[in-house]
Amino acid sequence: MSLPTGTVTLLFTDIEGSTRLVRERGSAWPALLAEHHRLLREAFRRYRGAEVGVEGDGFFVAFDDPGCAVAGAVAAQHSLATLEGVRVRIGMHTGAPRLTEIGYVGEDVHRAARIADAGHGGQVLLSETTRDLVPGAPVRDLGEHRLKDLTQPQRLYQLEGEGLEHSFPPLRTLENRPTNLPVQATPLIGRERELAAVVELVQRPEVRLVTLHGPGGCGKTRLALQAAAELVDDFPDGVYVVALESVEDAALVVPTIAQTLGVNETGAHGVEEALRRALGDRRVLLVLDNFEHLLPAAPRLSELLATTDLHLVVTSRAALRLSGEYEWPVPPLSHDDAVALFAGRAEIEITDENAKAVGEICRRLDGLPLAIELAAARSRRLSPDEILERLDERILSQGTGPSDLPSRQQTLRRAIDWSYDLLAAEERVLFARLAVFSGGCSIEAAEEVCDAGLDVLEALLENNLLRREDRPYGDRRVRMLETIREYAGERLEELGERAALRQRHAEWFVEWSSERRRLRREAVILGEWERESDEYENLRSALAWLRNSGEIELELELATALGGYWGISGYLSEGRAWLEDALDRAGDAPPLARAAAMHVCAGLPWRQDDAEASDRWAAAAHEIFVAEGEERGAAEALMTRAIAAEQRGDVEAESRFHDEAEAIFRELGLERPLASILNNRAYAALVLHQWERAERLFAESVEIFRRLGGAWWFPMLNLGLVACVTGRPHDAERAFRDAGRAGVQMAEVETVYYALEGLGSTAASRGDDLEAARFWGASEALRDPAGAKLQAAERELHDRLEAEARGRTGDDAFERSWAIGRSLSYDEAVALV
Ligand SMILES: Nc1ncnc2c1ncn2[C@@H]1O[C@H](COP(=O)(O)OP(=O)(O)OP(=O)(O)O)[C@@H](O)[C@H]1O
Ligand SMILES: [Mg+2]
């Protein structure tokens, strides 16, 4: 049968767990596989499917009519039902692939294969396109999913119908995996062989560190990200990318890794130890992207590798030269792929007229993806012939370029030069100025710091010198690839504006973060810290600039504004170092500014189990606030002293500081801080098993927060705890669900896992032991990546209830249920709340 052309429905099949089956069935396997082939062929042929190929134990079949593809899939599952233990996943997608002598090619083919890969044995998945073309087919909408091709999420449908199974575990897609791999704006082109080689290398058990190296813009990052996506099934505990390009200090590599993994520095051990503990012997793959400027940190990686089971893929212009490192040079794109990349980015078809020019451009540019993208970006105004002509001029005028650069690096340099030369004067100025940002910037920052006009910004985006990066919380950001930013930095130097711009940059971020701090003190902000996290490299660089230029007051203001972020992020030691260092030099700064910094500084050490230092800073701040007559500040410092006292176990001091603080707030008529005091005091009562008092104070705290708009879900969780301990599961459940829902709405994972923990305890206290195990498992899965532990009161209750529950169910049943809870995705865990 000949292969259909035009609109084609592409169907892939795959046997679930075939490696295991081969092992289990031994000599019976070949016959079983042959029968599988026969049944599938028969089913697909009946519905006029054309077999494109068989790869291993999977079929690739093309259908002219999408309705036939659906019917064929149903028939296939029906006949497979007779083959015991053999379960097949089927996925399909409709598109317009090109038919060439090597078969179908194009994105749609990959997409169809990815869709099949996302399913489970017995399941049939349809892309949205296919499902729209077969409106009569009974389907269930499974929502949007990210496939391993790293493109935008796709809506997927599960085929329902008689004789088909309908309940399956969550799809094997990226959102059901612990990963932060970013969506790619454009499809990957070529690289099949390279991907297979890198994936195979990383899968080898003895390989812990692979370095993809090569000149700027040769496609290291792109290859590493795609390889990581292919490897998500091999690393069930997570696949994460850590962007290092704007991290300037080698000492910050490990803290940045911790921050990306959501590991908070807790206790006295520092961030390395926290990271080691959180990783333990878990199978995690990290992509460390752009390591070249951080080579002094390489020994740190060796230590991490020696003490954990971590696997690393590093991208870097130069290899790290560590023992045990596998160096993997990234080659240029093959000629055909380079041409396909140019055509794709230029949005042109390759025709007889332009084929020669495009081929020539790609050759001149050595198959370097970044150089090709820069050239292709000009196609809106220039034809391939004109682009080639201008490239040639550039190459001639420059000769061979600085001869100490390796040749592909020279090529890239020329391509950037060329692209820069084509810019209008004001575009050049803005391009250079944008180099002042580290890690990209918001449109607003570009406008304010660099006087960016939106049309000029647009021109840079169009020419690919700048990339758009929209954030989930709605902000629009732009960013330069690192190679391009370096180049822009040189132009900024020539412009002679560097110092002035760094100053403006710093001042702008002082304003920005102070404003954020003011807002946060008045109300709870949605997605509270994500912006700080996105701006962190800018903030660091602003702090460094202010320190080096002796602007102590601004430095103090910025460090103070960042205190809250340092407190909740993985950067406790770093934050404390910035603050303590600034305070050391701040003798002449205005007293109130110093006191504010001291108080913020006091908020960090107690999280490192250093209550002494917290108390010292809080006491110093208090003294200044009192001397300056700043009562609110004084009361807040007393609250911090109370927390430090509680941590030291000094009940008397805790209560005294709270009394003093409370009196001041009442006098000032400030109610919001009272709610926090009530919550803290209630918690102290809880630890002492004073249930009635605890409940009364928590309830008051909830009431005030609700009325004034504050984080009422914290005391609400505690109310649930009291209700649970005092034998009122009904009240407990309500409290945990209310708080949990608020946590979901505010995207506060912490609140969600405490709510799940509480619901587990409630279930256990009712005797629903397996349900309890499931809740606890789900809570643990959310808590683990952050390295968070339960607080004392929760721990105590939990340990008692868990022992009782296990006693009733037996360990096996209990642990099975726990494991199910652990395997839930975030969305499914949320559904439990
Ligand atoms: N195979 C590919 N298909 C499509 N686009 C690609 C491919 N390889 C690279 N690119 C694109 O080319 C540009 C440069 O690639 P990438 O950022 O991966 O290079 P790099 O080697 O990591 O560069 P640097 O040294 O600056 O970090 C990016 O825009 C990337 O998306
Ligand atoms: Mg890179």
Side-chain angles (χ1 to χ4, degrees), residues 535-606:
E535 298 295 8
Y536 196 52
E537 295 310 330
N538 278 318
L539 294 163
R540 264 181 182 153
S541 116
L543 269 171
W545 173 260
L546 294 171
R547 177 168 65 191
N548 296 340
S549 44
E551 298 258 16
I552 184 67
E553 279 184 44
L554 287 177
E555 183 190 349
L556 215 52
E557 186 178 344
L558 183 51
T560 304
L562 280 176
Y565 177 63
W566 282 324
I568 58 92
S569 70
Y571 297 126
L572 286 177
S573 314
E574 185 190 342
R576 193 172 159 188
W578 280 113
L579 276 160
E580 290 182 345
D581 180 60
L583 280 165
D584 248 6
R585 287 175 282 108
D588 297 331
L592 282 178
R594 275 192 299 133
M598 287 171 179
H599 184 224
V600 160
C601 190
L604 303 180
W606 65 264

Side-chain angles (χ1 to χ4, degrees), residues 9 60 141 183 209 240 260 291 358 523 573 609 716 741 787:
T9 299
F60 175 12
D141 185 346
V183 170
L209 166 61
Y240 297 94
T260 308
F291 203 81
V358 173
S573 314
D609 285 343
M716 183 63 103
R741 276 191 214 112

Side-chain angles (χ1 to χ4, degrees), residues 138-143 156-160 166-168:
V139 291
R140 166 141 41 120
D141 185 346
L142 298 180
L156 296 180
Y157 295 86
Q158 172 179 311
L159 193 60
E160 308 264 84
H166 48 257
S167 97
F168 296 97

